Amino acid sequence: MTPLVEMRDISIAFGGVKAVDHVSVDLHAGEVVGLLGHNGAGKSTLIKCLSGAYRADSGSILIEGKEVQIENPRDARAHNIETIYQTLALADNLDAASNLFLGRELTTPLGFVDDDRMEAETRRIMARLNPNFAKFKEPVKALSGGQRQSVAIARAVYFNARILIMDEPTAALGPQETKMVAELIQELKRQGLGIFLISHDIHDVMALCDRVSVMKNGRLVGTERVADVTDDEILAMIILGKNPERA
Amino acid sequence: MTDATADAPKRRSLTETLELDTRLLGMVGAFLVLCLAFDIVTDGRFLTPRNIFNLTIQTVSVAIMATGMVFIIVCRHIDLSVGSILAVSSATMAMIQVEWLPQLLGLGHPLLWVAACLAGLLVGAAVGALHGWLVGFLAIPAFIVTLGGLLIWRNAGWYLTDGQTIGPLDPTFQIFGGANGTLGVFWSWVVGALAALAAAAAIWAARARKAKHGFAVKPLWAEAALTLLAAGAILAFVATLNAYDVPTGRLECLFEARGEVMPEGYSEGYGLPVSVLILIAVAVAMTVIARRTRFGRYVFATGGNPDAAELSGVDTKMLTVKIFALMGALCALSAIVASSRLTNHSNDIGTLDELRVIAAAVIGGTALSGGIGTIHGAILGALIMQSLQSGMAMVGVDSPLQNIVVGAVLVAAVFIDIVYRRRTGARS
């Protein structure tokens, strides 16, 4: 089966420092692939080439076997790639609906922004994702970490993402909210989305992912099926850059 | 449905029911207190139709630019060059209608003022776009770009006119200035009535739209009260300007010019100045842009979180060019109003306007940290500044002290704003 996404031989350097050095990863539909590594291992940088925030110096990106050019976030969206950033990338001064539709506003036939319709749509999707969500009028600054997270997720889900990139989705959340995000990831997986999950929390990854790709110093250490390895083996990959020994 | 029943037991204050912005109410309150205080101190000379008329036409130029400054500041930039862009646009327009075009078309040609206005707006927008390009694409801080612009454009205007005062400006052009161009009593009532109807229609259309989506709407009485308030305010304003009579000497001149004799006891009100209509049109257009267009939404999103806007696919560089170009065009519009009010162009036109404009926007609640600001707030800010200044002049406060007071008020207003925002939390 052709993978949903293939990133082949990606390299990117910033002022002589190789942040990502010939890394290849892939992702299938209905699969969660974890990207693990220390801070500065290059996982966020790698994935930003897919979300359009950076351009790779070399290498290629294939979606369903076809090579694509992703030059900016708009290109990524055109390929149904949605990203939930660690910082959540929300405009704090705008309400949930304005954030959800930012860059893709619904408009009236005259071309004006249709706030009422966007609010109605936001209420509809929130009823599904987070039924407790009620602050539709307030700027998102007034929301809790979990509520903000659900706005960010709603944004990805509403526009029928097929490829979802989640950068540390639970970093700022309490236990209850973390559980909610975990359930949501399972749900999206069942719907056939492919999800890249960036994390440095190994427990998150072991619980949610099918495979993990481990990076260290900009290089790929290896990719393993979660079922085949132990926590300690993954830790060895992260810390020592050592692949598990096969019997 | 469940939402409505859940909300019902909670007692809501009057301002909440009317969904009025408490910050705006505070500003209106402060403005009214200011006016009443000056009126008392001047023995009732401040709140006369004559002074209100003058106050309005003096505010227009700064208020028009303040609406553009809201977008600039909301986007986390600043524009120090507005007074100089005003000057260079004014110089261009004056030269076209007084020196250059009359040689081709002859003095008094009906196209003179049209050509002048178009060229002025073009110059303003082009200078603004250049600033925006330097800020957006070359990443030079707006403070520096426009500080340079402050020095450059006023003196570019000086070279256009050789530093001379250019005038008198075209008689048709002078209509935009204020007292020389008013609608008269009858047409002012017509415009006022239409505006009142439009305001009412807008309020009720918004209600219908909300109801269609099943959102909670205000109680009927609240909606009716708001409609009456809006319509009443518009008509009261028109009535006040209509009550200011054109001086008898001036009327006599007008009749004489038509070869008639003025009837005994004849009087005529000024009515709405054309410049005020321009300001109202700008205010409505800018509010619609801010609230109902993608461009406006992106301005606020970029101010709230530039990275988020960029990652959401907003072309923030081009956006910067657009907001500065818009600011430049508004400066040119202000140049039309300001120079025609003076009936000539002098090289010091609009000097220090950048500070008045920024102060108006900031007093009006625009946050320098970006993302927050309203058009009506900025206009009210301009009105407060102008009232303060001319009120003090009427009372006979020394001009150095006037500036000291205005400066202190600016700082105090921003401090009160910070405290207010802290108290109300994130609900800004």
Side-chain angles (χ1 to χ4, degrees):
Chain A
M1 203 174 96
T2 340
L4 187 54
V5 182
E6 265 187 281
M7 299 182 76
R8 280 189 192 160
D9 216 20
I10 302 284
S11 292
I12 181 167
F14 297 108
V17 179
K18 286 211 162 182
V20 175
D21 193 3
H22 297 285
V23 172
S24 299
V25 291
D26 62 353
L27 174 70
H28 289 83
E31 186 188 37
V32 182
V33 171
L35 282 178
L36 273 171
H38 283 307
N39 287 336
K43 42 192 203 305
S44 285
T45 309
L46 172 70
I47 220 66
K48 276 182 176 165
C49 297
L50 184 61
S51 65
Y54 293 151
R55 277 191 67 187
D57 297 333
S58 66
S60 54
I61 297 172
L62 285 78
I63 292 182
E64 291 184 320
K66 270 188 234 120
E67 184 161 353
V68 296
Q69 299 297 323
I70 296 176
E71 315 247 332
N72 55 46
R74 269 161 291 174
D75 290 349
R77 286 182 162 189
H79 292 295
N80 292 48
I81 301 169
E82 293 287 337
T83 311
I84 298 166
Y85 292 96
Q86 189 173 359
T87 50
L88 299 179
L90 300 177
D92 277 337
N93 54 333
L94 303 182
D95 60 16
S98 302
N99 269 293
L100 203 157
F101 287 93
L102 187 56
R104 290 177 289 205
E105 287 76 9
L106 300 178
T107 51
T108 62
L110 291 175
F112 291 113
V113 172
D114 193 342
D115 280 316
D116 293 327
R117 197 149 61 92
M118 291 196 286
E119 189 185 328
E121 290 292 309
T122 307
R123 284 176 187 271
R124 192 169 309 147
I125 191 154
M126 280 301 182
R128 207 179 98 205
L129 292 179
N130 183 359
N132 296 327
F133 192 94
K135 292 184 173 169
F136 290 98
K137 294 286 184 196
E138 279 88 345
V140 295
K141 185 166 48 175
L143 307 185
S144 71
Q147 289 167 333
R148 289 165 60 88
Q149 185 64 264
S150 38
V151 174
I153 293 174
R155 176 156 65 179
V157 175
Y158 180 84
F159 291 99
N160 300 318
R162 284 195 308 153
I163 301 151
L164 188 58
I165 301 165
M166 301 177 99
D167 192 349
E168 303 276 1
T170 57
L173 302 185
Q176 193 61 36
E177 291 164 334
T178 304
K179 194 162 152 266
M180 188 194 87
V181 172
E183 281 165 11
L184 188 75
I185 289 176
Q186 297 295 348
E187 164 66 25
L188 296 174
K189 193 177 135 172
R190 271 196 295 280
Q191 291 175 13
L193 274 74
I195 301 174
F196 272 123
L197 182 66
I198 303 174
S199 183
H200 55 240
D201 183 341
I202 182 165
H203 303 293
D204 259 11
V205 170
M206 295 304 269
L208 292 169
C209 297
D210 300 297
R211 288 188 295 148
V212 287
S213 293
V214 178
M215 290 182 70
K216 184 175 163 64
N217 298 334
R219 290 207 180 80
L220 184 72
V221 177
T223 301
E224 297 290 336
R225 300 194 60 80
V226 167
D228 298 344
V229 288
T230 64
D231 286 15
D232 287 345
E233 284 171 324
I234 296 284
L235 275 175
M237 290 172 80
I238 296 173
I239 298 166
L240 306 171
K242 195 177 79 163
N243 274 309
E245 285 167 31
R246 290 281 170 260
Chain B
M1 272 301 130
T2 49
D3 274 3
T5 46
D7 280 349
K10 205 172 69 183
R11 273 187 65 104
R12 306 172 82 205
S13 70
L14 186 65
T15 50
E16 267 177 87
T17 315
L18 291 172
E19 290 178 28
L20 288 176
D21 178 359
T22 46
R23 194 187 181 288
L24 180 67
L25 281 184
M27 273 177 61
V28 172
F31 176 58
L32 292 180
V33 168
L34 187 74
C35 289
L36 287 175
F38 276 131
D39 200 48
I40 292 166
V41 177
T42 57
D43 300 321
R45 275 184 297 132
F46 192 78
L47 287 180
T48 55
R50 175 194 154 93
N51 193 47
I52 291 174
F53 181 91
N54 286 332
L55 210 57
T56 346
I57 59 177
Q58 284 160 1
T59 307
V60 171
S61 169
V62 165
I64 288 176
M65 291 189 280
T67 64
M69 192 61 84
V70 170
F71 280 14
I72 301 263
I73 297 180
V74 161
C75 235
R76 302 188 179 188
H77 296 303
I78 196 78
D79 194 336
L80 300 175
S81 65
V82 293
S84 294
I85 298 181
L86 185 153
V88 76
S89 307
S90 169
T92 310
M93 291 188 288
M95 288 305 286
I96 284 178
Q97 60 187 297
V98 178
E99 301 280 340
W100 299 335
L101 266 191
Q103 292 176 6
L104 295 173
L105 302 172
L107 214 58
H109 192 279
L111 271 182
L112 283 182
W113 72 273
V114 182
C117 288
L118 287 179
L121 289 169
L122 207 64
V123 166
V127 170
L130 173 64
H131 288 173
W133 179 74
L134 292 169
V135 174
F137 284 88
L138 303 192
I140 310 172
F143 187 94
I144 299 302
V145 169
T146 58
L147 184 60
L150 167 76
L151 294 170
I152 293 168
W153 302 113
R154 177 171 304 282
N155 295 296
W158 194 94
Y159 276 109
L160 279 178
T161 61
D162 279 331
Q164 289 172 326
T165 295
I166 307 293
L169 299 174
D170 184 76
T172 318
F173 186 83
Q174 287 189 24
I175 284 176
F176 298 111
N180 289 330
T182 57
L183 290 189
V185 174
F186 174 74
W187 287 108
S188 297
W189 280 123
V190 171
V191 170
L194 287 178
L197 282 178
I203 290 173
W204 290 90
R207 180 188 172 85
R209 214 172 43 230
K210 278 200 163 61
K212 200 183 83 186
H213 285 285
F215 301 157
V217 289
K218 283 169 257 186
L220 266 178
W221 66 263
E223 213 88 59
L226 275 184
T227 310
L228 283 179
L229 196 68
I234 292 169
L235 294 177
F237 179 63
V238 171
T240 309
L241 296 187
N242 278 342
Y244 177 33
D245 286 335
V246 182
T248 322
R250 201 182 143 121
L251 279 177
E252 274 168 2
C253 287
L254 283 176
F255 272 91
E256 222 166 279
R258 279 181 297 194
E260 297 168 27
V261 178
M262 193 173 87
E264 195 67 32
Y266 179 86
S267 76
E268 194 180 310
Y270 270 110
L272 286 171
V274 174
S275 62
V276 172
L277 291 184
I278 293 176
L279 173 60
I280 292 168
V282 166
V284 171
M286 290 293 281
T287 304
V288 169
I289 290 173
R291 297 224 177 129
R292 291 267 167 268
T293 66
R294 289 190 162 178
F295 170 68
R297 185 60 46 89
Y298 296 163
V299 168
F300 280 81
T302 304
N305 186 344
D307 296 334
E310 183 98 48
L311 291 171
S312 301
V314 175
D315 188 346
T316 50
K317 290 177 182 159
M318 204 57 211
L319 190 77
T320 309
V321 175
K322 286 181 193 162
I323 55 169
F324 276 93
L326 181 61
M327 179 79 251
L330 289 169
C331 293
L333 197 57
S334 285
I336 296 175
V337 171
S339 65
S340 67
R341 190 162 85 87
L342 303 171
T343 70
N344 60 55
H345 164 82
S346 64
N347 199 49
D348 66 346
I349 190 169
T351 304
L352 288 184
D353 266 7
E354 51 281 339
L355 301 182
R356 293 189 192 103
V357 168
I358 292 169
V362 168
I363 288 180
T366 312
L368 282 168
S369 52
I372 295 168
T374 59
I375 302 299
H376 55 258
I379 293 173
L380 192 52
L383 199 55
I384 289 176
M385 294 268 296
Q386 187 60 47
S387 308
L388 202 59
Q389 203 121 37
S390 56
M392 284 191 293
M394 278 178 100
V395 175
V397 177
D398 292 344
S399 93
L401 186 56
Q402 285 182 25
N403 286 332
I404 290 173
V405 171
V406 170
V409 165
L410 173 64
V411 175
V414 171
F415 176 66
I416 292 170
D417 194 43
I418 290 171
V419 172
Y420 170 82
R421 285 190 210 286
R422 211 180 283 148
R423 288 264 171 89
T424 54
R427 299 196 313 125
S428 47

